[in-house]
Amino acid sequence: MDDLTENVNGYLDYCRQVRRLSDKTLKAYRCDLLQFVEWLQKDGLSFDDQAILGYIAFMSDKYSPRSAKRKIASIRAFSSYLHLRDRSKDPFNLVEIRMKEPKRLPKTIPLEDLALIIGGECQAEGGLRGYIHMRNKMIVELLIATGIRVSELCSLDECDFDARSRSLLVMGKGSKERMIQIESGSTLSVFSSYIEALHAFLSEVGAGGKGRRLLFVNRFGARLSEQSARNAVNTLASLVGASSHVTPHMFRHTFATMLLEDDVDIRYIQILLGHS
């Protein structure tokens, strides 16, 4: 069983160095695989088709179909890597997996709530409080104007936006870059005001050097975390009286839905969203 744990570590190194997967994905894989190894170890089982069937039953009882399918997919990918490397038979080839998952439509932001959030004015004040108001406003403007993921938003640097071409360079999943045009005049106007507020704030906290400039920062001038971005969206939605709980990912779904309703080609929407 120690050999299996070593193989898990080797697989994670392969995913990091060769497949170039994100730290978040690697963390999920590690959790799923070590949980499986622990389950095998507890009952003294070998990694074979019967163990897989038993683990699927265990997952089905403990987790939702969506979570169970994700965990099993992690193990399937690891198993494929392991048995291709050793030129042996993959036990997953002997197992038929069918897990029915309820269909759920992506949640979008009600138009009346979206109008409140986007139309909300920033308080005219300086210092930390003024910067945070301006930053939160910029976050929601950028989310609805581009449909980018919250992870992509938080990884942006100031140089990723080209004011002359009105384009934003986004680093997506798998280190894939894509360029997104920003056509909204209101978004561009907020962007200009935000950059001024950002520079003033960074000067105040002593983080306004000539090095790499982050686009979104926290109160200490460090890069804004994804959880802080989620909190920022939720805070702004609450301040303007939105009737529903709003998350950054809902802006992504709303962005795509609005384009579909305007008869934009679905393949073009996929490219904007960074889907393969």
Side-chain angles (χ1 to χ4, degrees), residues 159-169 179-183 188:
C159 63
D160 291 328
F161 176 67
D162 187 335
R164 288 193 304 173
S165 63
R166 299 181 173 186
S167 60
L168 186 69
L169 180 63
M179 193 75 75
I180 302 177
Q181 290 294 129
I182 300 178
E183 300 296 341
L188 292 168

Side-chain angles (χ1 to χ4, degrees), residues 112-122 137 140-141 186 236 240:
E112 56 271 22
D113 283 348
L114 185 61
L116 285 172
I117 294 168
I118 299 300
E121 293 295 327
C122 296
K137 172 74 172 174
V140 297
E141 282 279 356
S186 64
L236 183 56
V240 298

Side-chain angles (χ1 to χ4, degrees), residues 121-156:
E121 293 295 327
C122 296
Q123 296 183 16
E125 54 183 302
L128 174 62
R129 187 178 179 85
Y131 167 70
I132 288 177
H133 279 296
M134 195 71 215
R135 182 198 67 193
N136 295 356
K137 172 74 172 174
M138 186 67 250
I139 286 173
V140 297
E141 282 279 356
L142 206 55
L143 288 173
I144 196 60
T146 62
I148 59 176
R149 302 175 177 93
V150 66
S151 58
E152 295 169 343
L153 178 136
C154 291
S155 67
L156 289 172

Side-chain angles (χ1 to χ4, degrees), residues 24 27 132 135-136 139 143 149-155 216-219 222-236 245-249:
K24 182 185 289 186
K27 183 178 179 181
I132 288 177
R135 182 198 67 193
N136 295 356
I139 286 173
L143 288 173
R149 302 175 177 93
V150 66
S151 58
E152 295 169 343
L153 178 136
C154 291
S155 67
F216 293 107
V217 300
N218 59 23
R219 63 182 62 238
R223 189 178 294 280
L224 190 70
S225 69
E226 293 177 31
Q227 187 56 49
S228 294
R230 294 187 184 95
N231 292 340
V233 169
N234 196 34
T235 297
L236 183 56
H245 175 70
V246 178
T247 68
H249 209 66

